[in-house]
Amino acid sequence: MEGLVSSGINPVCVFCCKKHQSLFVPSSTLHLKKRNNIASGIGVEIVKHSSPMVVVAAASSVGGAKVGHFENTIPSKETLDLWRKCSAVCFDVDSTVCLDEGIDELAEFCGAGKAVAEWTARAMGGSVPFEEALAARLKLFNPSLSQVQNFLEQRPPRLSPGIQELVQKLKANHMDVYLISGGFRQMINPVASILGIPKENIFANQLLFGSSGEFLGFDANEPTSRSGGKATAVQQLRKAHGYKALAMIGDGATDLEARRPGGADLFICYAGVQLREAVATKADWLVFNFKDLINSLE
């Protein structure tokens, strides 16, 4: 029996307060990886509002990678024109739409965080096939259905700064929005709900559970369960809807793979959470703040 988890959990939103400096030059190099390990130089203030709770991260002297040596932080005219012409935009979820790597957070919740995070780094860097890394990570902690449910209740999604505004802007410009992730539907459905993205616009993996809630594995038929899967998903979308131009936004090697003939025309590397240099250098456009994308849209 396949166990499906759904959740209507309110998000914990994180907003960067540093003033945006220019239209295209990245405003910060925030690297917010761990839920309880905020990057050096970041002050956190909890602001009480009505639901959801807002965590304000005020950037002062932010550490992290230097961006000066990247030549693609300012888009070419061709890239900018193509971005504005897109009829569909596909987002990676972990470390892009959300601040965390979902499988790492679930593993930490289940007591196997460090070992799984090491595998994630290898997978996102492209050094091992994705399907191998996915199976190896899950085998390290074998999450039960009840553990996944408890995780979703206790760890609401943490959205990246500006993502809600960007999705709203894309929709206002009549662009279709998709989530294409190597993560799990059980954890992505609540994110899609927050952003107003229909479930049929999600391509992701599915955790499988037995009748007693025991972990059985994952659905290997999902295209995103293997290397090249995001490219396959994008190609399927392109063929089904006839999109004239399509962009993929993400941080990892599997996102970069989506840019190929019949797939994504444009790959935008979002490095506001994780900067993977091998991926960033090959992007059409490297951004550290979603406001760069918002401000570029007419």
Side-chain angles (χ1 to χ4, degrees), residues 90 178-182 185 201-204 222-241 243 246 248 254 257-258 260 262-264:
C90 301
Y178 296 87
L179 300 179
I180 302 183
S181 174
R185 290 181 183 273
N201 285 20
I202 301 173
F203 287 78
E222 293 282 0
T224 53
S225 67
R226 51 191 176 273
S227 293
K230 290 185 180 180
T232 299
V234 170
Q235 287 172 327
Q236 290 176 356
L237 283 175
R238 196 74 180 265
K239 185 176 181 180
H241 299 279
Y243 293 125
L246 186 151
M248 180 74 203
T254 57
E257 288 177 342
R260 61 173 60 178

Side-chain angles (χ1 to χ4, degrees), residues 138-157:
L138 288 170
K139 190 175 180 180
L140 287 171
F141 66 107
N142 295 323
S144 67
L145 178 58
S146 63
Q147 284 178 312
V148 174
Q149 290 172 325
N150 290 336
F151 171 80
L152 291 173
E153 291 174 358
Q154 297 177 36
R155 300 281 186 92

Side-chain angles (χ1 to χ4, degrees), residues 169-191:
K169 183 73 171 179
L170 294 173
K171 290 181 178 180
N173 284 27
H174 308 291
M175 299 180 184
D176 292 339
V177 179
Y178 296 87
L179 300 179
I180 302 183
S181 174
F184 305 110
R185 290 181 183 273
Q186 287 93 337
M187 300 164 67
I188 293 171
N189 285 342
V191 176

Side-chain angles (χ1 to χ4, degrees), residues 103-104 106-117 137 140-142:
I103 192 170
D104 292 357
L106 178 60
E108 181 184 23
F109 185 81
C110 297
K114 183 177 180 181
V116 170
R137 286 179 288 176
L140 287 171
F141 66 107
N142 295 323

Side-chain angles (χ1 to χ4, degrees), residues 11-42:
V12 176
C13 302
V14 180
F15 299 94
C16 177
C17 293
K18 185 175 181 180
K19 185 176 180 181
H20 188 69
Q21 296 174 340
S22 70
L23 184 58
F24 301 123
V25 179
S27 3
S28 67
T29 57
L30 297 183
H31 290 260
L32 305 179
K33 181 178 180 183
K34 293 299 183 181
R35 186 174 297 267
N36 296 316
N37 184 18
I38 304 300
S40 175
I42 307 295

Side-chain angles (χ1 to χ4, degrees), residues 17 64 66 81 97 145 155 185 194 208 215 265 271 287 292:
C17 293
K66 296 180 180 179
D81 288 344
V97 170
L145 178 58
R155 300 281 186 92
R185 290 181 183 273
I194 294 164
L208 304 178
F215 176 70
D265 303 284
V287 300
D292 293 322

